[in-house]
Amino acid sequence: MTNRPLTNRQWLAKLVAAIVPGMMFSFGCMAVVGLLCHATGEARTVSSQFLMWLVVLVWLCVMGSCFLFRSGLCAWVVLGGAATVVWALFEILVKVTTA
């Protein structure tokens, strides 16, 4: 590993990476937790309210930490990969629970 300092040169790419795949990651986390908690689609239940606020908290954490990536490409790869993994986990859990 080389010791390169963190810079804000590609801040726009990092920010867009936090917005697009970061949002998909937070929605994927909501889907997985909702499936594991057996949450219903009723908006007035406590579990649904928790899931709605979970999306906001996860997305804000991603937005706040997106500038810690070394480059915009690294942010896109990591956040896109995390979103893909979370949604793949959701699909696997859906197939397991319905089988």
Side-chain angles (χ1 to χ4, degrees):
M1 292 290 294
T2 60
N3 291 332
R4 295 184 307 174
L6 294 173
T7 63
N8 284 332
R9 292 162 106 198
Q10 299 176 353
W11 66 270
L12 184 61
K14 294 175 186 178
L15 182 65
V16 174
I19 292 172
V20 178
M23 183 185 296
M24 295 308 295
F25 174 73
S26 62
F27 283 147
C29 289
M30 178 188 70
V32 169
V33 172
L35 191 64
L36 292 175
C37 294
H38 304 290
T40 62
E42 181 66 34
R44 293 183 181 177
T45 61
V46 174
S47 60
S48 296
Q49 289 292 318
F50 171 75
L51 291 173
M52 285 189 273
W53 284 104
L54 177 72
V55 170
V56 174
L57 291 175
V58 170
W59 196 33
L60 284 176
C61 289
V62 170
M63 293 285 288
S65 62
C66 72
F67 299 105
L68 296 176
F69 289 105
R70 297 262 180 222
S71 66
L73 178 64
C74 183
W76 274 93
V77 168
V78 170
L79 291 174
T84 304
V85 167
V86 168
W87 281 105
L89 177 65
F90 175 72
E91 288 296 324
I92 290 169
L93 288 174
V94 165
K95 290 188 193 288
V96 168
T97 56
T98 57

